Amino acid sequence: MVLIVKELIDLRQTCRFKQEIFEQAASIAFHQDRITNPVRVVEGLFQREAQVSTGMIDGFAIPHTQNEAVKLPSIIILRNDAEIEWETLDDNDVKFVLVILIPKQAEDNLHLTILSSLSRKLMDEKFRKYLLAAESRTEIVDLLEDFT
């Protein structure tokens, strides 16, 4: 199972709102044949966000959904040129978003395992700096290689 491929990464986003980020992630996943319905995925991301914010620290967020429109487990990675208003653990807005998409029928703990691993990695300041400084999609894939 390959969760992260360079085609799921866009390091040059110009979104102004969370809605746009979610729509971009869904569009990328749809065009890579990872989901069947972008609207349902966006709805799923917002439903999860309404429960508890997925904002982390230092401008990172990990929105996620386990959704019937998802065909393949995937992580869509978007780096935005400007900060987006987002509730985070440190009250800073978000520029780097890692969207986890998991099929509804996936094993019960798959999304929790991925979320937990990714969250642990993002707690490392050096790792966050590497992600923010990455200049290519290949660099991002290499940094996250243990998810593929």
Side-chain angles (χ1 to χ4, degrees):
M1 165 179 58
V2 179
L3 293 171
I4 302 169
V5 294
K6 67 180 182 175
E7 292 79 14
L8 299 177
I9 301 170
D10 189 338
L11 301 177
R12 290 181 241 134
Q13 285 296 304
T14 58
C15 299
R16 295 179 301 159
F17 304 103
K18 195 182 297 184
Q19 174 84 30
E20 291 176 281
I21 282 285
F22 289 173
E23 288 171 353
Q24 271 303 110
S27 176
I28 289 168
F30 183 74
H31 285 82
Q32 292 301 315
D33 201 30
R34 300 247 173 180
I35 65 171
T36 59
N37 187 324
V39 172
R40 287 193 96 90
V41 167
V42 170
E43 288 170 354
L45 291 168
F46 271 111
Q47 287 169 0
R48 174 59 186 85
E49 199 71 27
Q51 295 171 2
V52 175
S53 178
T54 58
M56 300 289 290
I57 59 174
D58 286 347
F60 285 84
I62 312 175
H64 49 281
T65 185
Q66 189 166 358
N67 192 295
E68 66 281 346
V70 178
K71 294 165 56 173
L72 295 170
S74 306
I75 300 177
I76 314 303
I77 300 171
L78 304 171
R79 184 170 62 199
N80 207 49
D81 66 345
E83 293 180 340
I84 297 172
E85 188 175 317
W86 210 294
E87 186 179 325
T88 61
L89 297 174
D90 62 1
D91 294 324
N92 289 322
D93 290 334
V94 167
K95 286 185 81 164
F96 204 104
V97 182
L98 299 100
V99 180
I100 302 171
L101 304 177
I102 303 296
K104 186 73 168 174
Q105 65 279 11
E107 56 186 85
D108 288 339
N109 63 349
L110 178 62
H111 82 282
L112 296 176
T113 301
I114 294 168
L115 183 60
S116 174
S117 295
L118 201 48
S119 296
R120 264 195 313 278
K121 278 187 135 349
L122 287 176
M123 296 312 286
D124 179 348
E125 183 179 357
K126 187 184 278 187
F127 180 76
R128 291 191 310 272
K129 287 182 179 181
Y130 286 145
L131 281 179
L132 289 170
E135 295 185 15
S136 72
R137 299 184 305 178
T138 302
E139 278 184 75
I140 298 289
V141 170
D142 290 346
L143 285 167
L144 294 166
E145 67 187 334
D146 48 334
F147 284 96
T148 58

